[in-house]
Amino acid sequence: MNHEDGLSRRQQKAMQTRLNLLHAGKVIFLKEGFQKATMTEINKQANTGYGTAYVYFKNKDELFGELMENIVEKMYEVASLPFEPKTSEEAFEQIKTQVRLFIQAALDEQEMMKVLKEAIGVSEIVEGKWSQIRTRFIAGIIKDITFVQEAGMANKEIEASLIARGWYYMNEQVMWDILLGEVAEDLNRVAENLALLYTRGLYVGNK
Amino acid sequence: MNHEDGLSRRQQKAMQTRLNLLHAGKVIFLKEGFQKATMTEINKQANTGYGTAYVYFKNKDELFGELMENIVEKMYEVASLPFEPKTSEEAFEQIKTQVRLFIQAALDEQEMMKVLKEAIGVSEIVEGKWSQIRTRFIAGIIKDITFVQEAGMANKEIEASLIARGWYYMNEQVMWDILLGEVAEDLNRVAENLALLYTRGLYVGNK
């Protein structure tokens, strides 16, 4: 049985070529940055035939768009951790941990994140993709806020969709600042401060 | 007296040319966006001699950098409003008003702000300038937080520089979202929600 996984040899080869191109893309983007990287270089790095990259990806923006999914995967995992606190103290501790892990996950991919920052500015495709990723993060936060509002722990006057957006942006931008070396604060201290403002702001009966 | 304001005729003429070029720059940036605009077009629009723009500005990035000061001027005025509240209720009302006016000032310059957003992404000079402007805004917020902390109204555990940064980013990003049509909420409602989270989070004895 050659096709035990349901893919023909040709399909398997195509998948392998695709992965090679993505891997080569990562190497080239890290080396050149987003703007300077070219499909020709990526092709060469992947040892695929001339023009092969264009069979798999419309342009470098699309190729980078696929790489983004991997870059933010761990950040997204952190954001998707189960969140069902019983008290506002518990919520504070969980949120503090989430902020720290979210920024840490970005720092673990520091070099690719820098390329991402550059790409968001210059590529509409990458910007659009980033905007989708943000929407996913914000949707997760809305879910968490709704949970604590329904549990009677959080202020119901507050509109979850607006606060989720504001809270996400606070985290994202501080993450960029730390990543680009503009904020030298200790990660624990950053997480503590942001989580404190947020939980005190959102939760009822805060100390 | 030809020199009553202390400027020679030549200096006055140079200043006028400079203003003409800035005005022409605005027209061209609004028409073409940042990336497509060229110094040649700006020169032509200003009716100055070939290459004159380069006498006054190193490149379009520098010229745009000067225009930015005007674009954000009103936003900055709002951020610099005196802030010496006596109670946390008063602080909430003032902050709510500030958020609303800050976003409104950006909306009043909507088209140039869109060009600015584009320019931040692609020009290191503009990005650097924007980063300076942000620092000014954040410094103003630090001052306000320190005032209420010293007055015993705000939580002293909180580190003003971190919270100021987070709060500024929340406002800036929500402003971009509204400006780019990604958030359709009523401005009062946005201001109310953000100010509520922030003042409840920051102030002691919040309701």
Side-chain angles (χ1 to χ4, degrees):
Chain A
M1 285 292 287
N2 280 324
H3 308 153
E4 60 210 42
D5 58 359
L7 292 178
S8 70
R9 231 171 239 230
R10 179 189 287 242
Q11 284 170 318
Q12 285 180 35
K13 191 152 176 277
M15 255 177 70
Q16 191 54 55
T17 306
R18 202 163 200 285
L19 284 173
N20 289 348
L21 285 164
L22 285 169
H23 181 74
K26 186 166 179 180
V27 172
I28 298 299
F29 284 123
L30 283 173
K31 192 174 149 207
E32 305 284 359
F34 183 78
Q35 275 170 289
K36 283 197 194 150
T38 64
M39 287 291 263
T40 307
E41 272 178 298
I42 293 171
N43 237 328
K44 213 171 148 189
Q45 176 74 26
N47 274 318
T48 49
Y50 180 78
T52 306
Y54 285 107
V55 178
Y56 293 83
F57 303 97
K58 209 170 128 197
N59 47 38
K60 70 173 175 182
D61 309 59
E62 298 276 0
L63 197 156
F64 189 80
E66 292 235 356
L67 287 173
M68 279 167 74
E69 290 291 335
N70 299 325
I71 307 173
V72 301
E73 195 182 351
K74 263 206 287 174
M75 293 162 74
Y76 192 64
E77 272 170 27
V78 170
S80 317
L81 288 174
F83 182 76
E84 298 188 357
K86 305 243 171 338
T87 63
S88 60
E89 285 72 22
E90 210 183 301
F92 170 68
E93 290 301 330
Q94 286 189 28
I95 289 166
K96 191 173 70 177
T97 304
Q98 274 193 348
V99 173
R100 189 167 48 72
L101 293 177
F102 174 83
I103 299 176
Q104 189 56 58
L107 286 173
D108 290 345
E109 291 281 355
Q110 186 158 25
E111 293 313 310
M112 276 304 273
M113 287 297 285
K114 285 182 183 171
V115 181
L116 172 58
K117 185 88 172 106
E118 183 201 353
I120 290 169
V122 296
S123 161
E124 276 185 33
I125 291 171
V126 174
E127 199 195 12
K129 184 105 189 169
W130 182 242
S131 168
Q132 281 173 19
I133 290 171
R134 277 178 161 169
T135 304
R136 249 196 279 153
F137 277 111
I138 293 167
I141 302 172
I142 293 175
K143 196 172 140 256
D144 292 349
I145 296 177
T146 309
F147 174 85
V148 289
Q149 278 180 324
E150 284 176 359
M153 292 161 63
N155 191 341
K156 281 179 184 154
E157 292 166 59
I158 269 176
E159 192 166 326
S161 66
L162 279 171
I163 291 308
R165 195 173 276 269
W167 170 240
Y168 171 75
Y169 285 146
M170 193 184 261
N171 281 278
E172 185 195 316
Q173 293 295 322
V174 170
M175 174 275 285
W176 289 122
D177 281 352
I178 292 174
L179 196 100
L180 301 171
E182 283 164 37
V183 166
E185 295 281 346
D186 170 69
L187 207 47
N188 282 316
R189 190 135 178 70
V190 171
E192 172 113 17
N193 269 276
L194 297 189
L196 197 58
L197 183 82
Y198 179 63
T199 48
R200 281 178 46 97
L202 186 58
Y203 288 74
V204 291
N206 43 27
K207 22 170 191 174
Chain B
M1 286 292 287
N2 281 324
H3 309 153
E4 60 211 41
D5 57 1
L7 292 177
S8 70
R9 230 174 241 232
R10 179 189 290 244
Q11 284 171 317
Q12 284 179 37
K13 191 153 176 276
M15 253 178 71
Q16 190 55 55
T17 307
R18 202 163 200 286
L19 284 174
N20 288 348
L21 284 163
L22 284 169
H23 181 74
K26 186 166 178 178
V27 172
I28 298 300
F29 284 123
L30 283 172
K31 193 174 148 206
E32 305 285 358
F34 183 78
Q35 276 171 290
K36 283 198 194 150
T38 64
M39 287 290 262
T40 308
E41 271 178 299
I42 293 170
N43 237 330
K44 213 171 150 191
Q45 175 74 25
N47 274 317
T48 50
Y50 179 78
T52 305
Y54 285 107
V55 178
Y56 293 82
F57 303 96
K58 208 170 129 197
N59 47 38
K60 69 173 175 182
D61 308 60
E62 298 276 0
L63 197 156
F64 189 80
E66 292 234 355
L67 288 173
M68 278 168 74
E69 290 291 336
N70 299 325
I71 306 173
V72 301
E73 196 183 350
K74 263 205 288 172
M75 292 162 74
Y76 193 65
E77 272 170 29
V78 170
S80 318
L81 288 175
F83 182 76
E84 298 187 357
K86 304 243 171 343
T87 63
S88 60
E89 284 72 24
E90 211 184 300
F92 169 69
E93 289 302 328
Q94 286 189 28
I95 289 167
K96 191 173 71 174
T97 304
Q98 274 194 348
V99 173
R100 189 168 46 74
L101 293 176
F102 174 83
I103 298 176
Q104 190 57 57
L107 287 173
D108 290 346
E109 290 281 355
Q110 185 157 27
E111 293 312 310
M112 277 304 272
M113 286 297 285
K114 285 182 185 171
V115 181
L116 172 57
K117 184 89 172 107
E118 182 201 351
I120 291 170
V122 296
S123 161
E124 276 185 33
I125 292 170
V126 174
E127 199 194 11
K129 184 104 189 170
W130 183 241
S131 167
Q132 282 172 20
I133 291 171
R134 277 179 160 169
T135 304
R136 248 196 280 152
F137 276 111
I138 292 167
I141 302 171
I142 293 176
K143 195 171 140 256
D144 292 348
I145 295 178
T146 308
F147 174 85
V148 289
Q149 278 180 324
E150 285 175 358
M153 292 160 63
N155 191 342
K156 281 179 183 155
E157 292 166 61
I158 270 175
E159 192 166 326
S161 66
L162 279 170
I163 291 308
R165 196 173 276 270
W167 170 239
Y168 171 74
Y169 286 146
M170 193 183 263
N171 281 279
E172 185 194 317
Q173 293 295 323
V174 169
M175 174 275 283
W176 288 123
D177 281 352
I178 291 174
L179 197 101
L180 301 171
E182 283 163 37
V183 165
E185 296 282 345
D186 171 70
L187 207 46
N188 282 317
R189 190 135 178 73
V190 171
E192 171 113 17
N193 270 275
L194 297 188
L196 197 57
L197 182 82
Y198 178 63
T199 48
R200 281 178 45 98
L202 186 59
Y203 288 75
V204 291
N206 42 28
K207 24 170 186 166

